[in-house]
Amino acid sequence: MLRAILLANKGGVSLSRLQSEYKELAGEHIPHKQMGHNQLETLLASMPSVVRMERSRSGEVCAYETAHIAKVVARQRSSKKTGRPHLVNTQMRVKPAAPLVLNGKVLHHHFGAFASIIFFFSFSDFPAPGNLNESHGPGKGRPYNPQQVQGRIRDILGKYSNGFWVSKLPQIYRELYRQELPTEAIKDLELWTHICTVCTVFLMLLWLFIMLPPTTHLSHSDSRSPQSPPLSMSSPSPPSSPAALNPDLKQKLEELLVKYSSGLWAHALPKLFQDTYKTKLPGHVLENLHLLSDICTIDYPMPDNPKRAILYRRSSTGGGGREDENCNRRNSSTSEEEFKVRQALGRRLSNQEVPPLQIPNEEYPSVLVVEASNTNGVILRYIGEDYSQAQESMEDEMREFYRLDQSGPPPVSSPSSGQLVAVKAEEEEEVLRAQVCEVMADKVKVCYVDHGFSEVISETKVFELHEKFYKLPFQATKCKLAGLEPFCQEPAVLKRFETMASGRILLAEILERRQTPLVVLYDTSQDDDVNINAACMKALQDKTLASPLQVNSTYMNVTVSSVCSDGTIYLQLPSKGLVKLHETLENIETYFHSQVTSEFLVSRPFCGKGCLARYKGKWSRVEITNLHGSRVLDILFTDVGVQASVEVFELREIPSPFLRDLTAIPPQAVKCCLADLAVGIGSWTAEAVQWLREKVLNTTDCSMKVAKVDETKRCLYIHLFTDKNFHDPARSLNHQMAQSDLFKQQPDVFLTSHSPTSASVPAKPHLKRALSGPRGGGRGNSIMGPSETPSSPSSSLQLPPLLELPPAGSNIDVYIPVACHPGHFVLQPWRDMYKLVVLMGEMILYYNKTEEKPLNIEKNQIYAAKVENNWHRVLVKGVLTNGLVSVYELDYGKHELVSCTQLRPLIKEFRQLPFQAITAQLAGVKPRQWSEEASIVFRNHVEKRPLVAQLEAVQEAINPWDRKMTVFLVDTSQEDRDIWVHDIMAEGLKEEDRN
């Protein structure tokens, strides 16, 4: 992984960007702590064969490819060298301790568990060896014609100048030449270094930029045989496809891709292009995506649906460089007052160099907020071992060094502006580092560089700062609050921030890692996390535009805009704010029609951000409530109370001419509950929800009476009427529902012995893992196999194909999401993990837009189920009579308890990818009753970790979820050795037996 990223960033990459690129690929940061290193920098320092580190002129630590990697690339690109290049080993070492030696070099496996997807790169400038029939080892004496196969592969590679998946080669070969690719050829690919090199990376299309000049590609393409048509990334394109795109069209497409650095679905291009440039995208673009290959890479994560492609903008077009420049450039609009804490990173002060402060590697570091005179420069301090704790240790040492007796150093005789000094605080107990800001007659104004505030003190308290106190970076630093940039100095915003954040320890979500990081702050001290950025935006709302609400008051001309599945309803009341909202949104519609620009595309979504999305064909205000990766997110239409899941390309920034007006208008959706009902929120049946929706939705002349206001839940309890007869309580919908049988009495909870059952029984959400007992060894533990006895699912439901497994003795890169004990755990192959991520994003988009309908739920059948905020493919294990359903996640191997209202039919599109979870047991140890201690040891070594599995045997079954593997598990993350988990368990068993 690291080698691949470093090769793609030959000019070096900052550690923060290295983490960012790694996370984009792997979904998590580099796990340096799991590998025994407190800091990423120490992990990288322990891998000199992979990476070297240098400090840039700005003081930032950057990582570079090591010399021998550069030599590998140089050898691959040089036409003057002959012979076999030194290949990077990406396979797990065999059990013996002796390392693999190739061409006199010891090849170590780095991040072997991540290496699972292979690419080709063509090097046609290599001279062919004199005798191609002379096979290099394993290919010798085979009946197939290697000369012919190599020629055909060379032709294919001529089109795929930037590499492609090895798994696609047999399909492409078959479609072009009407023959099957000999299996021996796959094994010989690494040996044919005169035509290609085989590289291994992880999950996404990470392209190593070691390409040939364009002229070489053209000549290579021209060498195809006449019957070989041009290729796209998935299948042959029609011979009549255009040779190139119009430059203006290509530039516009690149502008769109710049906004979506994490990829853009190809199917979104036509609408996005139409909305942005007010003209249709030429139809041939989607039919010939290969024409975009010079500005983007193309991935087909759903092989059964070639129309579902993801486009990734090429970083080689220069975007990455600009981003680095922005990261190292101070915002020129920042005022001088903001920089009173003079963070002159890497600059010499008093002839000593203070190292720059590194942003913590955690995604959510704890911070102490000091103060903010501008939300673009909030002063804070990081909390942690290398930050606040290191500062406390230094200040303890300074207190001892600058003690009050005569042996201490004398005060500075003539301090100068900009000088770093040690200052004894007024209470004479603390000694702090400071920088002189201003020299007065007999006083000095100093800024405490580790605490972020200024003070005027006597000259007698200022001392020379000893050189040993220059080693720790200044701890006071700045951040920018995301979303508040246009209102960074608004008094209402700063007052709200002072009240909620100043002097408090908060969590910071780092959106962009740069000299002044872009962050979202959260207060996690309460039951619900509070988004500080969003709360500060709400301070700008004009209360006179809110709906006036009082207990016992009645309101007419009420519109019910939403009825949620838990019984919550959202209303719109006539108000000045609603009138102004409609007027402003209409102006925005007109404005967007007149603009031809991509600047309104949302490229940096985050929770709490306000923007625009389409609702019933018109732009409406939304707030982002949750993110599922980088392309799919959940939103709330704040003026109608409707929740939805969309792709990021469907969002638009609020145009600046209308931003202040829209921000001032409070949300127009009023949250309400029906008063005097025997059932509470969350216990509504599907029938009751549907009945209420049919009564009130799309009705504009409802009336209501406020019964009470619940400030804690920010909810009104009301009596609702479908006409203006609010004087007669018997005519209220509350009374009608209470008198009906829409709410069924909930019986005691027990597992039903029959199926099917209706999903319309009452449900109690938020009861998670109620069927799970304590985790541990032995029988009766919480993580058992998904099915006690084989039972075939309904014949009318097509199951996904079985997950293909290699023969016994093969090595597989896997991830262990769940582990009970060595006799039972669950693994996922890394190979198709990115396809699973794409599939779950598609399920979120599909099911969050479908209406909830009564569903007959049958035991031992597969469905889609919503677990927390994600949709999973599940097997129903049991149905409870209180409306809860026990399900087994077929892709993650976990048992969950969900409401029956959260189940949907699993449509055909989501039954193409094989179920990714496979139960397994550890080879090399005898089956036994595992103790709790042994089970804990096992889980600590394997659970939620990437490993290499060596397949021993497969126990086949009727149902795919009943298959079971016997595998050896190997941890290959160490530099110098592989750790075989069964050896650890065997040693532990010996210790138990001795005791």
Side-chain angles (χ1 to χ4, degrees):
M1 279 287 291
L2 291 176
R3 282 178 169 139
I5 295 174
L6 293 173
L7 281 172
N9 295 272
K10 295 182 181 179
V13 58
S14 66
L15 299 193
S16 59
R17 180 154 181 167
L18 180 66
Q19 281 280 32
S20 176
E21 292 195 12
Y22 188 96
K23 187 182 179 184
E24 280 194 13
L25 299 174
E28 64 177 3
H29 288 126
I30 298 172
H32 57 86
K33 291 188 177 179
Q34 298 177 17
M35 305 177 72
H37 297 271
N38 289 330
Q39 296 181 346
L40 172 62
E41 193 168 342
T42 59
L43 168 64
L44 299 179
S46 70
M47 305 168 64
S49 63
V50 178
V51 58
R52 63 180 173 86
M53 290 180 293
E54 295 180 2
R55 196 175 296 279
S56 66
R57 271 183 278 180
S58 65
E60 190 172 21
V61 176
C62 293
Y64 298 83
E65 55 184 330
T66 53
H68 85 268
I69 297 181
K71 289 177 182 177
V72 169
V73 178
R75 180 174 291 108
Q76 290 170 340
R77 299 185 70 175
S78 172
S79 61
K80 298 179 181 179
K81 305 263 184 175
T82 59
R84 180 177 178 181
H86 296 284
L87 298 177
V88 178
N89 178 35
T90 55
Q91 301 301 317
M92 186 188 75
R93 291 184 291 273
V94 292
K95 181 78 187 317
L100 175 65
V101 177
L102 179 63
N103 290 355
K105 299 285 186 180
V106 178
L107 300 179
H108 292 295
H109 177 115
H110 303 296
F111 295 96
F114 289 93
S116 60
I117 297 179
I118 306 174
F119 298 91
F120 283 123
F121 295 93
S122 172
F123 299 103
S124 60
D125 51 352
F126 265 86
N131 185 3
L132 289 178
N133 289 323
E134 194 174 296
S135 185
H136 299 270
K140 189 173 183 179
R142 288 183 179 151
Y144 78 99
N145 184 343
Q147 183 81 53
Q148 179 189 49
V149 174
Q150 288 174 1
R152 289 176 172 178
I153 291 178
R154 184 191 294 271
D155 287 342
I156 295 173
L157 290 171
K159 181 62 181 177
Y160 291 85
S161 57
N162 298 303
F164 62 90
W165 310 93
V166 160
S167 59
K168 286 187 175 291
L169 180 59
Q171 174 191 346
I172 297 172
Y173 191 94
R174 186 185 313 114
E175 291 173 348
L176 281 179
Y177 302 110
R178 302 296 185 264
Q179 293 180 11
E180 295 295 328
L181 177 69
T183 55
E184 296 89 342
I186 295 290
K187 300 176 182 178
D188 283 348
L189 288 174
E190 287 195 37
L191 305 176
W192 294 343
T193 56
H194 56 287
I195 60 170
C196 68
T197 201
V198 181
C199 300
T200 308
V201 296
F202 168 74
L203 290 183
M204 307 292 283
L205 288 177
L206 177 63
W207 302 101
L208 311 185
F209 297 106
I210 46 177
M211 302 179 294
L212 297 176
T215 53
T216 308
H217 300 329
L218 290 174
S219 62
H220 208 222
S221 177
D222 293 341
S223 66
R224 290 194 306 266
S225 57
Q227 69 273 21
S228 302
L231 293 174
S232 71
M233 289 296 287
S234 64
S235 60
S237 302
S240 59
S241 62
L245 292 179
N246 177 286
D248 180 61
L249 173 61
K250 186 176 293 187
Q251 180 181 352
K252 289 179 178 178
L253 291 173
E254 188 171 10
E255 286 177 3
L256 297 180
L257 292 173
V258 165
K259 288 287 186 175
Y260 304 107
S261 58
S262 298
L264 175 68
W265 283 106
H267 73 264
L269 273 180
K271 188 174 187 306
L272 194 60
F273 194 89
Q274 173 76 39
D275 289 346
T276 305
Y277 301 113
K278 308 302 182 290
T279 184
K280 287 187 176 181
L281 178 72
H284 70 272
V285 174
L286 293 186
E287 301 296 328
N288 302 277
L289 289 178
H290 65 279
L291 298 177
L292 305 177
S293 59
D294 59 335
I295 62 171
C296 67
T297 56
I298 308 164
D299 181 23
Y300 291 85
M302 306 174 74
D304 295 304
N305 190 352
K307 295 183 179 180
R308 301 292 277 176
I310 302 177
L311 310 180
Y312 298 91
R313 178 178 177 255
R314 288 195 184 282
S315 59
S316 59
T317 56
R322 288 193 297 270
E323 182 178 343
D324 281 344
E325 292 170 9
N326 290 336
C327 291
N328 294 321
R329 186 171 58 239
R330 196 182 86 185
N331 190 335
S332 60
S333 65
T334 311
S335 67
E336 287 299 318
E337 177 63 18
E338 230 180 296
F339 279 88
K340 65 181 180 180
V341 184
R342 300 184 176 184
Q343 296 289 3
L345 303 180
R347 160 183 146 196
R348 289 187 176 274
L349 296 171
S350 302
N351 298 320
Q352 296 289 336
E353 185 174 349
V354 179
L357 182 69
Q358 298 294 323
I359 298 175
N361 292 325
E362 303 100 300
E363 187 176 6
Y364 294 93
S366 295
V367 298
L368 172 63
V369 177
V370 179
E371 64 178 8
S373 59
N374 186 318
T375 61
N376 283 346
V378 175
I379 300 174
L380 53 79
R381 293 160 49 196
Y382 294 116
I383 306 298
E385 179 181 356
D386 299 322
Y387 299 91
S388 57
Q389 295 177 25
Q391 175 191 335
E392 291 172 5
S393 298
M394 179 194 69
E395 290 176 351
D396 288 342
E397 187 178 356
M398 290 179 68
R399 188 188 307 114
E400 178 65 23
F401 184 84
Y402 295 96
R403 57 185 182 274
L404 296 178
D405 57 36
Q406 296 300 321
S407 61
V412 175
S413 57
S414 56
S416 59
S417 180
Q419 182 180 0
L420 278 183
V421 294
V423 174
K424 290 184 178 178
E426 289 296 331
E427 59 270 17
E428 299 289 353
E429 295 179 356
E430 297 292 332
V431 180
L432 308 176
R433 296 192 300 180
Q435 186 176 15
V436 176
C437 298
E438 183 181 353
V439 179
M440 306 172 188
D442 58 346
K443 294 186 178 293
V444 178
K445 182 178 181 181
V446 297
C447 174
Y448 295 105
V449 294
D450 298 310
H451 295 268
F453 65 93
S454 299
E455 188 178 34
V456 177
I457 59 172
S458 169
E459 275 191 1
T460 61
K461 299 181 181 296
V462 179
F463 298 83
E464 290 280 353
L465 185 66
H466 191 272
E467 62 181 10
K468 66 180 178 180
F469 301 123
Y470 280 77
K471 297 178 181 179
L472 185 71
F474 299 151
Q475 294 300 296
T477 186
K478 301 189 309 301
C479 73
K480 178 187 290 188
L481 299 187
L484 289 167
E485 295 90 341
F487 311 105
C488 60
Q489 293 183 304
E490 287 286 334
V493 170
L494 296 176
K495 183 179 179 180
R496 177 70 60 88
F497 184 81
E498 175 73 21
T499 302
M500 300 186 68
S502 291
R504 305 188 65 179
I505 294 179
L506 306 173
L507 282 187
E509 179 186 10
I510 301 177
L511 303 179
E512 293 182 7
R513 292 175 177 269
R514 53 195 187 192
Q515 184 171 328
T516 303
L518 185 68
V519 305
V520 178
L521 295 178
Y522 295 91
D523 181 357
T524 60
S525 63
Q526 305 176 34
D527 292 338
D528 296 322
D529 295 346
V530 177
N531 186 317
I532 300 296
N533 300 41
C536 289
M537 284 292 288
K538 290 180 173 62
L540 296 169
Q541 293 175 1
D542 185 349
K543 294 182 179 179
T544 64
L545 300 178
S547 301
L549 297 169
Q550 294 180 348
V551 176
N552 294 326
S553 296
T554 56
Y555 301 88
M556 294 183 290
N557 300 319
V558 173
T559 300
V560 179
S561 56
S562 173
V563 177
C564 303
S565 59
D566 63 356
T568 304
I569 60 178
Y570 286 88
L571 310 176
Q572 283 186 342
L573 306 179
S575 68
K576 291 192 299 182
L578 188 60
V579 173
K580 186 172 182 180
L581 173 68
H582 289 161
E583 178 184 308
T584 306
L585 291 176
E586 287 176 3
N587 291 336
I588 289 177
E589 290 280 349
T590 304
Y591 183 82
F592 274 151
H593 282 302
S594 65
Q595 299 296 309
V596 182
T597 177
S598 61
E599 67 176 285
F600 300 115
L601 303 179
V602 174
S603 58
R604 177 62 72 180
F606 56 88
C607 286
K609 178 180 175 64
C611 46
L612 301 172
R614 288 284 188 182
Y615 180 72
K616 295 185 176 179
K618 294 186 177 182
W619 293 110
S620 300
R621 292 195 299 181
V622 300
E623 179 179 321
I624 298 174
T625 58
N626 190 34
L627 280 79
H628 305 276
S630 57
R631 289 189 296 274
V632 178
L633 39 81
D634 297 335
I635 58 174
L636 171 67
F637 287 91
T638 54
D639 298 307
V640 292
V642 172
Q643 299 180 16
S645 295
V646 298
E647 295 183 75
V648 68
F649 71 82
E650 299 179 59
L651 303 180
R652 296 293 182 274
E653 298 282 3
I654 299 174
S656 55
F658 309 99
L659 179 59
R660 187 170 291 274
D661 285 343
L662 272 190
T663 304
I665 303 173
Q668 294 301 297
V670 180
K671 182 180 179 181
C672 302
C673 300
L674 295 185
D676 301 333
L677 290 182
V679 294
I681 293 300
S683 300
W684 283 49
T685 65
E687 287 84 357
V689 172
Q690 187 62 30
W691 183 89
L692 184 59
R693 286 174 176 169
E694 292 174 354
K695 287 286 186 180
V696 299
L697 288 183
N698 302 317
T699 302
T700 58
D701 58 349
C702 292
S703 59
M704 74 169 193
K705 184 176 183 179
V706 179
K708 70 173 183 176
V709 178
D710 189 332
E711 294 290 350
T712 59
K713 296 181 179 179
R714 298 180 181 179
C715 181
L716 298 180
Y717 283 82
I718 64 171
H719 294 275
L720 185 63
F721 304 82
T722 55
D723 51 29
K724 295 180 174 59
N725 294 317
F726 51 83
H727 300 291
D728 184 1
R731 297 180 64 89
S732 70
L733 296 179
N734 309 50
H735 181 78
Q736 297 177 41
M737 296 189 78
Q739 297 299 313
S740 71
D741 59 353
L742 291 170
F743 301 106
K744 299 177 182 178
Q745 185 67 28
Q746 297 187 44
D748 294 334
V749 178
F750 61 91
L751 278 172
T752 57
S753 57
H754 61 278
S755 61
T757 186
S758 172
S760 60
V761 291
K764 287 185 178 178
H766 311 305
L767 296 177
K768 296 293 182 182
R769 305 183 185 277
L771 297 182
S772 299
R775 300 176 69 186
R779 300 174 184 173
N781 54 68
S782 65
I783 309 171
M784 297 304 296
S787 141
E788 294 79 9
T789 57
S791 59
S792 297
S794 171
S795 58
S796 62
L797 190 64
Q798 175 192 347
L799 290 177
L802 284 177
L803 189 67
E804 293 184 6
L805 299 174
S810 301
N811 299 329
I812 319 170
D813 296 326
V814 299
Y815 180 78
I816 312 295
V818 175
C820 177
H821 53 74
H824 184 91
F825 55 94
V826 177
L827 58 81
Q828 296 169 306
W830 271 121
R831 180 186 62 207
D832 289 337
M833 192 72 74
Y834 85 105
K835 295 181 181 179
L836 177 59
V837 173
V838 172
L839 172 69
M840 293 186 67
E842 292 289 289
M843 292 176 67
I844 290 170
L845 292 172
Y846 177 81
Y847 288 113
N848 282 3
K849 291 179 180 178
T850 58
E851 285 291 328
E852 176 186 326
K853 295 179 180 179
L855 177 68
N856 286 333
I857 301 174
E858 300 182 34
K859 187 177 178 181
N860 292 328
Q861 298 301 305
I862 61 173
Y863 297 89
K866 190 173 186 179
V867 181
E868 296 180 348
N869 290 319
N870 289 304
W871 285 90
H872 292 263
R873 301 187 297 178
V874 302
L875 173 73
V876 170
K877 296 295 299 160
V879 183
L880 306 181
T881 55
N882 71 335
L884 297 179
V885 181
S886 170
V887 298
Y888 174 78
E889 295 176 2
L890 293 163
D891 295 304
Y892 289 88
K894 297 178 182 178
H895 287 273
E896 297 284 358
L897 201 62
V898 299
S899 166
C900 60
T901 61
Q902 301 300 309
L903 266 65
R904 301 286 189 277
L906 189 66
I907 64 173
K908 182 179 179 180
E909 181 180 355
F910 303 141
R911 286 185 266 120
Q912 305 303 315
L913 182 70
F915 298 135
Q916 296 296 297
I918 310 176
T919 56
Q921 63 184 17
L922 187 64
V925 292
K926 294 181 180 179
R928 60 179 292 159
Q929 184 87 9
W930 293 95
S931 67
E932 178 64 20
E933 292 77 12
S935 300
I936 291 174
V937 170
F938 178 73
R939 287 198 296 272
N940 288 342
H941 276 89
V942 305
E943 193 168 56
K944 293 180 172 55
R945 298 190 65 183
L947 301 169
V948 174
Q950 189 174 88
L951 183 57
E952 180 79 0
V954 178
Q955 179 182 334
E956 297 292 353
I958 297 176
N959 297 319
W961 49 83
D962 290 324
R963 301 169 86 195
K964 191 166 188 177
M965 302 170 63
T966 302
V967 298
F968 292 97
L969 292 179
V970 190
D971 182 353
T972 62
S973 63
Q974 300 297 319
E975 285 284 321
D976 54 347
R977 65 192 181 103
D978 291 332
I979 301 173
W980 293 71
V981 177
H982 74 279
D983 288 342
I984 297 175
M985 301 311 301
E987 192 65 32
L989 291 177
K990 291 180 183 178
E991 186 67 25
E992 282 188 2
D993 293 340
R994 283 195 294 268
N995 295 335

